[in-house]
PDB file of all heavy atoms in Angstrom:
ATOM      1  N   LEU B 210     -12.962   1.055 -25.653  1.00 83.00           N
ATOM      2  CA  LEU B 210     -12.995   0.039 -26.695  1.00 83.00           C
ATOM      3  C   LEU B 210     -12.233  -1.182 -26.186  1.00 83.00           C
ATOM      4  O   LEU B 210     -11.469  -1.163 -25.324  1.00 83.00           O
ATOM      5  CB  LEU B 210     -12.396   0.616 -27.894  1.00 83.00           C
ATOM      6  CG  LEU B 210     -13.014   1.834 -28.554  1.00 83.00           C
ATOM      7  CD1 LEU B 210     -12.013   2.433 -29.594  1.00 83.00           C
ATOM      8  CD2 LEU B 210     -14.312   1.614 -29.068  1.00 83.00           C
ATOM      9  N   ARG B 211     -12.598  -2.209 -27.020  1.00 80.00           N
ATOM     10  CA  ARG B 211     -11.811  -3.459 -26.638  1.00 80.00           C
ATOM     11  C   ARG B 211     -10.932  -3.664 -28.013  1.00 80.00           C
ATOM     12  O   ARG B 211     -11.327  -4.368 -28.908  1.00 80.00           O
ATOM     13  CB  ARG B 211     -12.705  -4.634 -26.485  1.00 80.00           C
ATOM     14  CG  ARG B 211     -11.877  -5.845 -25.978  1.00 80.00           C
ATOM     15  CD  ARG B 211     -12.657  -7.144 -25.901  1.00 80.00           C
ATOM     16  NE  ARG B 211     -11.808  -8.165 -25.304  1.00 80.00           N
ATOM     17  CZ  ARG B 211     -12.218  -9.542 -25.411  1.00 80.00           C
ATOM     18  NH1 ARG B 211     -13.195  -9.811 -26.239  1.00 80.00           N
ATOM     19  NH2 ARG B 211     -11.498 -10.485 -24.803  1.00 80.00           N
ATOM     20  N   GLU B 212      -9.783  -3.096 -27.841  1.00 81.00           N
ATOM     21  CA  GLU B 212      -8.821  -3.182 -29.059  1.00 81.00           C
ATOM     22  C   GLU B 212      -7.486  -3.482 -28.433  1.00 81.00           C
ATOM     23  O   GLU B 212      -7.140  -3.144 -27.394  1.00 81.00           O
ATOM     24  CB  GLU B 212      -8.869  -1.873 -29.917  1.00 81.00           C
ATOM     25  CG  GLU B 212     -10.250  -1.590 -30.523  1.00 81.00           C
ATOM     26  CD  GLU B 212     -10.182  -0.824 -31.722  1.00 81.00           C
ATOM     27  OE1 GLU B 212      -9.110  -0.537 -32.249  1.00 81.00           O
ATOM     28  OE2 GLU B 212     -11.281  -0.795 -32.433  1.00 81.00           O
ATOM     29  N   ARG B 213      -6.623  -4.123 -29.326  1.00 78.00           N
ATOM     30  CA  ARG B 213      -5.313  -4.587 -28.815  1.00 78.00           C
ATOM     31  C   ARG B 213      -4.482  -3.363 -28.433  1.00 78.00           C
ATOM     32  O   ARG B 213      -3.539  -3.363 -27.681  1.00 78.00           O
ATOM     33  CB  ARG B 213      -4.538  -5.264 -29.938  1.00 78.00           C
ATOM     34  CG  ARG B 213      -5.185  -6.617 -30.119  1.00 78.00           C
ATOM     35  CD  ARG B 213      -4.496  -7.413 -31.283  1.00 78.00           C
ATOM     36  NE  ARG B 213      -4.946  -8.667 -31.446  1.00 78.00           N
ATOM     37  CZ  ARG B 213      -5.987  -9.076 -32.285  1.00 78.00           C
ATOM     38  NH1 ARG B 213      -6.524  -8.149 -32.984  1.00 78.00           N
ATOM     39  NH2 ARG B 213      -6.375 -10.330 -32.421  1.00 78.00           N
ATOM     40  N   SER B 214      -4.750  -2.114 -29.079  1.00 79.00           N
ATOM     41  CA  SER B 214      -3.918  -0.940 -28.727  1.00 79.00           C
ATOM     42  C   SER B 214      -4.415  -0.086 -27.497  1.00 79.00           C
ATOM     43  O   SER B 214      -3.906   0.870 -27.097  1.00 79.00           O
ATOM     44  CB  SER B 214      -3.699  -0.143 -29.897  1.00 79.00           C
ATOM     45  OG  SER B 214      -5.044   0.275 -30.348  1.00 79.00           O
ATOM     46  N   GLU B 215      -5.665  -0.638 -26.975  1.00 85.00           N
ATOM     47  CA  GLU B 215      -6.309   0.206 -26.057  1.00 85.00           C
ATOM     48  C   GLU B 215      -5.788  -0.066 -24.616  1.00 85.00           C
ATOM     49  O   GLU B 215      -5.584  -1.274 -24.368  1.00 85.00           O
ATOM     50  CB  GLU B 215      -7.817  -0.041 -26.119  1.00 85.00           C
ATOM     51  CG  GLU B 215      -8.706   0.962 -25.475  1.00 85.00           C
ATOM     52  CD  GLU B 215      -8.657   2.274 -26.209  1.00 85.00           C
ATOM     53  OE1 GLU B 215      -8.781   2.461 -27.321  1.00 85.00           O
ATOM     54  OE2 GLU B 215      -8.465   3.265 -25.409  1.00 85.00           O
ATOM     55  N   LYS B 216      -5.682   0.942 -23.852  1.00 90.00           N
ATOM     56  CA  LYS B 216      -5.243   0.693 -22.513  1.00 90.00           C
ATOM     57  C   LYS B 216      -6.311   0.639 -21.494  1.00 90.00           C
ATOM     58  O   LYS B 216      -7.441   1.149 -21.764  1.00 90.00           O
ATOM     59  CB  LYS B 216      -4.207   1.790 -22.062  1.00 90.00           C
ATOM     60  CG  LYS B 216      -4.805   3.154 -22.013  1.00 90.00           C
ATOM     61  CD  LYS B 216      -3.715   4.227 -21.766  1.00 90.00           C
ATOM     62  CE  LYS B 216      -4.263   5.553 -21.753  1.00 90.00           C
ATOM     63  NZ  LYS B 216      -3.163   6.593 -21.619  1.00 90.00           N
ATOM     64  N   LEU B 217      -6.100  -0.032 -20.382  1.00 93.00           N
ATOM     65  CA  LEU B 217      -7.153  -0.124 -19.293  1.00 93.00           C
ATOM     66  C   LEU B 217      -6.811   0.858 -18.205  1.00 93.00           C
ATOM     67  O   LEU B 217      -5.643   1.133 -17.875  1.00 93.00           O
ATOM     68  CB  LEU B 217      -7.108  -1.517 -18.711  1.00 93.00           C
ATOM     69  CG  LEU B 217      -8.124  -2.513 -19.273  1.00 93.00           C
ATOM     70  CD1 LEU B 217      -7.928  -2.728 -20.733  1.00 93.00           C
ATOM     71  CD2 LEU B 217      -8.091  -3.754 -18.478  1.00 93.00           C
ATOM     72  N   PHE B 218      -7.967   1.464 -17.663  1.00 95.00           N
ATOM     73  CA  PHE B 218      -7.786   2.320 -16.493  1.00 95.00           C
ATOM     74  C   PHE B 218      -8.298   1.746 -15.288  1.00 95.00           C
ATOM     75  O   PHE B 218      -9.514   1.134 -15.333  1.00 95.00           O
ATOM     76  CB  PHE B 218      -8.540   3.606 -16.675  1.00 95.00           C
ATOM     77  CG  PHE B 218      -8.075   4.355 -17.830  1.00 95.00           C
ATOM     78  CD1 PHE B 218      -8.426   4.151 -19.176  1.00 95.00           C
ATOM     79  CD2 PHE B 218      -7.307   5.469 -17.674  1.00 95.00           C
ATOM     80  CE1 PHE B 218      -7.929   4.902 -20.200  1.00 95.00           C
ATOM     81  CE2 PHE B 218      -6.726   6.270 -18.781  1.00 95.00           C
ATOM     82  CZ  PHE B 218      -7.168   5.893 -20.068  1.00 95.00           C
ATOM     83  N   PHE B 219      -7.530   1.533 -14.127  1.00 96.00           N
ATOM     84  CA  PHE B 219      -7.912   0.797 -12.981  1.00 96.00           C
ATOM     85  C   PHE B 219      -8.364   1.662 -11.912  1.00 96.00           C
ATOM     86  O   PHE B 219      -8.052   2.757 -11.673  1.00 96.00           O
ATOM     87  CB  PHE B 219      -6.777   0.023 -12.523  1.00 96.00           C
ATOM     88  CG  PHE B 219      -6.435  -1.193 -13.326  1.00 96.00           C
ATOM     89  CD1 PHE B 219      -5.736  -1.300 -14.522  1.00 96.00           C
ATOM     90  CD2 PHE B 219      -6.940  -2.553 -12.919  1.00 96.00           C
ATOM     91  CE1 PHE B 219      -5.513  -2.362 -15.190  1.00 96.00           C
ATOM     92  CE2 PHE B 219      -6.614  -3.652 -13.566  1.00 96.00           C
ATOM     93  CZ  PHE B 219      -5.958  -3.487 -14.738  1.00 96.00           C
ATOM     94  N   GLY B 220      -9.389   1.132 -11.063  1.00 96.00           N
ATOM     95  CA  GLY B 220      -9.706   1.714  -9.820  1.00 96.00           C
ATOM     96  C   GLY B 220      -8.761   1.428  -8.727  1.00 96.00           C
ATOM     97  O   GLY B 220      -7.853   0.700  -8.979  1.00 96.00           O
ATOM     98  N   SER B 221      -9.055   2.054  -7.602  1.00 95.00           N
ATOM     99  CA  SER B 221      -8.174   1.738  -6.489  1.00 95.00           C
ATOM    100  C   SER B 221      -8.421   0.580  -5.727  1.00 95.00           C
ATOM    101  O   SER B 221      -7.705   0.166  -4.816  1.00 95.00           O
ATOM    102  CB  SER B 221      -8.329   3.083  -5.479  1.00 95.00           C
ATOM    103  OG  SER B 221      -7.858   4.188  -6.163  1.00 95.00           O
ATOM    104  N   GLY B 222      -9.547  -0.169  -6.054  1.00 97.00           N
ATOM    105  CA  GLY B 222      -9.786  -1.471  -5.541  1.00 97.00           C
ATOM    106  C   GLY B 222     -10.660  -1.367  -4.267  1.00 97.00           C
ATOM    107  O   GLY B 222     -10.914  -0.322  -3.728  1.00 97.00           O
ATOM    108  N   THR B 223     -11.245  -2.513  -4.157  1.00 98.00           N
ATOM    109  CA  THR B 223     -12.021  -2.776  -2.886  1.00 98.00           C
ATOM    110  C   THR B 223     -11.369  -3.866  -2.080  1.00 98.00           C
ATOM    111  O   THR B 223     -11.040  -5.046  -2.650  1.00 98.00           O
ATOM    112  CB  THR B 223     -13.480  -3.225  -3.171  1.00 98.00           C
ATOM    113  OG1 THR B 223     -14.225  -2.187  -3.648  1.00 98.00           O
ATOM    114  CG2 THR B 223     -14.201  -3.704  -1.731  1.00 98.00           C
ATOM    115  N   GLN B 224     -10.975  -3.510  -0.761  1.00 97.00           N
ATOM    116  CA  GLN B 224     -10.287  -4.600   0.058  1.00 97.00           C
ATOM    117  C   GLN B 224     -11.457  -5.338   0.833  1.00 97.00           C
ATOM    118  O   GLN B 224     -12.043  -4.789   1.707  1.00 97.00           O
ATOM    119  CB  GLN B 224      -9.301  -3.998   0.927  1.00 97.00           C
ATOM    120  CG  GLN B 224      -8.669  -5.062   1.814  1.00 97.00           C
ATOM    121  CD  GLN B 224      -7.759  -5.993   1.091  1.00 97.00           C
ATOM    122  OE1 GLN B 224      -6.922  -5.544   0.293  1.00 97.00           O
ATOM    123  NE2 GLN B 224      -7.974  -7.278   1.355  1.00 97.00           N
ATOM    124  N   LEU B 225     -11.582  -6.671   0.533  1.00 97.00           N
ATOM    125  CA  LEU B 225     -12.685  -7.426   1.267  1.00 97.00           C
ATOM    126  C   LEU B 225     -12.061  -8.322   2.215  1.00 97.00           C
ATOM    127  O   LEU B 225     -11.093  -8.995   1.995  1.00 97.00           O
ATOM    128  CB  LEU B 225     -13.336  -8.381   0.158  1.00 97.00           C
ATOM    129  CG  LEU B 225     -14.366  -9.380   0.853  1.00 97.00           C
ATOM    130  CD1 LEU B 225     -15.518  -8.590   1.472  1.00 97.00           C
ATOM    131  CD2 LEU B 225     -14.950 -10.396  -0.122  1.00 97.00           C
ATOM    132  N   SER B 226     -12.520  -8.085   3.392  1.00 97.00           N
ATOM    133  CA  SER B 226     -12.126  -8.894   4.666  1.00 97.00           C
ATOM    134  C   SER B 226     -13.263  -9.844   5.159  1.00 97.00           C
ATOM    135  O   SER B 226     -14.287  -9.203   5.388  1.00 97.00           O
ATOM    136  CB  SER B 226     -11.437  -8.072   5.641  1.00 97.00           C
ATOM    137  OG  SER B 226     -10.413  -7.317   5.298  1.00 97.00           O
TER     138      SER B 226
END
Side-chain angles (χ1 to χ4, degrees):
Chain B
L210 300 169
R211 191 191 186 198
E212 303 211 351
R213 290 180 176 89
S214 58
E215 197 64 50
K216 60 186 178 184
L217 266 57
F218 296 82
F219 282 82
S221 298
T223 293
Q224 180 64 52
L225 173 65
S226 298

